[in-house]
Amino acid sequence: MEVRVANVRKEFDRFPALRDVSLDIKSGELIALLGPSGSGKTTLLRLIAGLERPTRGNIFFGEEDASHKSIQERNVGFVFQHYALFRHMTVADNIGFGLKVRHGPTRPSAQEIRRRASELLDLVQLSGLEKRYPAQLSGGQRQRVALARAMAIEPRVLLLDEPFGALDAQVRRELRRWLRDIHDTTGHTTVFVTHDQEEALELADRVVVMSQGRIEQVGTADDIYDTPNSPFVYGFIGESSSVPVKVEDGQVWIADRPIGLSAPQAPEGQATLFFRPHDVELVDGCSGCIAGTVAASRRVAGTRRVELEIGGERQRVEIELPVDHPAAQKSRVAFRPRRWKLFPAA
Ligand code: ADP
Ligand code: MG
């Protein structure tokens, strides 16, 4: 099911939790909403679910305007971070619950419900545990049951709000891969909320980066990582350095020296240069480069991370060097960003 969020605004007592958000979710896509706490991820998810109504704007399921439909009419499946399973019900009964409470002819027979529950348990790799109670499961197993329960109603859209947020890192990584496999098997249109960039970038077909009630950027992991389109995305995803610069004669300058980057399209004047620590090349002499002295250096896995002090204003940038680079304290290093972007000075 395609979902289209069109110019949605959501206020809580005049406070805009979402400001003019538009987003097209493709049928069968796994999309992640990624942003810091308070950026509006849960609000957007609850609006798609029908747990909240937009202050302005519309939400379409396919061609149909679902903005004023109830959660049941929308037929969505939900998993929350702390969505406790029913403690007094077995795993099988938890999974079958959404079908059992249906009215009239849409309610499957008890036998059919059992069959579906056991099929879903297979899918989430918990066969044999149908008679257990939630207290007899690990945290990761409980979230798998919660996902099976959400899928039991054959939802048009699956909505997952930090479903692995309460689990430890190792289990989270496993469940991430597992969820991706399940998604590839079932093809549900899925919206996944997380504040963990690694999770979003690894799991999702497309990532929606949010900040302060707005969508900053939508794209694949590669798009988001390699071509951030705002200072916020540069800073929030991965690591980056920023340096105040000026643009003059189509060149980028730091203080009174051009640094070997031409920017013919950029407006003249003050700007901020952004680049990632690994997107740099070392250069020998320095006519047209950024040069600095090593202020700190640490080994990070297969590389060396070096903080360089550039210019007099105690300005520091971080770059990545090969491990065999000595990077002695106070020694001079010159480099040039290979991939970079300018934004107007804040
Ligand atoms: P996220 O899930 O990204 O952490 P939320 O969508 O939960 O963010 O919240 C976005 C903003 O809206 C926050 O500032 C939050 O305090 C506010 N907010 C969310 N729900 C309510 C509510 N029911 N009443 C008042 N303010 C709310
Ligand atoms: Mg939230």
Side-chain angles (χ1 to χ4, degrees):
M1 171 71 41
E2 249 164 61
V3 177
R4 191 154 60 85
V5 177
N7 304 105
V8 162
R9 181 179 178 87
K10 177 64 183 176
E11 295 176 2
F12 294 106
D13 308 323
R14 295 264 179 83
F15 172 81
L18 291 179
R19 313 153 191 254
D20 197 23
V21 164
S22 294
L23 176 65
D24 285 340
I25 301 166
K26 296 174 200 150
S27 188
E29 181 172 42
L30 201 177
I31 202 161
L33 307 182
L34 171 67
S37 172
S39 55
K41 307 179 296 292
T42 294
T43 301
L44 180 52
L45 205 70
R46 289 173 59 84
L47 281 157
I48 296 172
L51 291 163
E52 304 280 358
R53 298 271 178 276
T55 305
R56 266 213 301 279
N58 300 83
I59 291 167
F60 296 89
F61 276 37
E63 294 300 305
E64 167 193 71
D65 187 348
S67 313
H68 297 284
K69 302 242 178 222
S70 69
I71 181 162
Q72 287 82 12
E73 288 171 310
R74 293 185 202 196
N75 197 32
V76 295
F78 231 121
V79 180
F80 301 99
Q81 179 174 340
H82 296 292
Y83 198 11
L85 298 168
F86 302 117
R87 284 160 38 163
H88 59 287
M89 281 185 203
T90 63
V91 164
D93 289 343
N94 264 286
I95 296 175
F97 181 78
L99 297 172
K100 198 172 161 202
V101 297
R102 280 191 182 163
H103 297 290
T106 60
R107 180 163 85 189
S109 69
Q111 192 192 355
E112 172 61 14
I113 293 176
R114 261 200 310 280
R115 195 192 59 75
R116 277 201 58 81
S118 123
E119 203 175 270
L120 282 161
L121 269 176
D122 261 356
L123 181 68
V124 301
Q125 295 165 357
L126 292 176
S127 319
L129 301 189
E130 34 275 87
K131 296 224 159 59
R132 293 251 186 115
Y133 285 87
Q136 299 169 303
L137 301 175
S138 71
Q141 289 173 330
R142 271 182 229 154
Q143 287 309 73
R144 293 201 224 178
V145 174
L147 186 72
R149 179 169 67 179
M151 289 191 297
I153 60 163
E154 294 178 326
R156 296 197 289 177
V157 182
L158 258 181
L159 303 172
L160 314 178
D161 194 354
E162 313 229 12
F164 311 143
L167 306 172
D168 68 49
Q170 176 68 29
V171 177
R172 279 169 77 139
R173 266 194 296 276
E174 282 166 25
L175 285 186
R176 208 185 286 169
R177 291 199 197 105
W178 166 87
L179 178 68
R180 185 67 230 191
D181 287 347
I182 296 234
H183 179 266
D184 292 341
T185 310
T186 61
H188 279 113
T189 305
T190 305
V191 188
F192 184 97
V193 165
T194 180
H195 65 269
D196 177 341
Q197 50 174 293
E198 200 184 302
E199 193 162 86
L201 295 173
E202 188 181 314
L203 188 62
D205 297 315
R206 287 192 303 156
V207 176
V208 178
V209 183
M210 298 183 65
S211 163
Q212 298 184 357
R214 289 197 178 84
I215 292 179
E216 290 272 334
Q217 189 166 359
V218 182
T220 63
D222 287 352
D223 294 338
I224 299 281
Y225 197 82
D226 292 337
T227 48
N229 66 4
S230 70
F232 174 82
V233 179
Y234 251 113
F236 185 66
I237 312 276
E239 290 167 88
S240 62
S241 287
S242 61
V243 191
V245 296
K246 75 177 175 201
V247 179
E248 210 173 282
D249 306 327
Q251 290 291 312
V252 181
W253 298 60
I254 290 181
D256 54 355
R257 284 151 44 99
I259 57 173
L261 306 179
S262 60
Q265 312 297 334
E268 302 262 304
Q270 301 300 314
T272 308
L273 172 73
F274 283 80
F275 58 89
R276 302 223 183 261
H278 63 269
D279 281 337
V280 300
E281 59 189 342
L282 290 180
V283 292
D284 286 336
C286 194
S287 60
C289 70
I290 304 176
T293 51
V294 174
S297 157
R298 66 199 154 94
R299 171 78 184 254
V300 178
T303 64
R304 195 176 295 290
R305 285 303 182 90
V306 172
E307 268 180 57
L308 290 182
E309 215 162 83
I310 60 169
E313 309 136 58
R314 303 174 57 84
Q315 175 74 44
R316 284 189 181 189
V317 297
E318 188 166 77
I319 63 170
E320 196 171 285
L321 299 179
V323 256
D324 55 7
H325 191 290
Q329 196 75 8
K330 302 262 189 255
S331 65
R332 202 163 170 78
V333 175
F335 73 97
R336 205 178 292 132
R338 259 195 310 243
R339 204 198 297 255
W340 49 276
K341 199 152 172 170
L342 289 175
F343 293 99

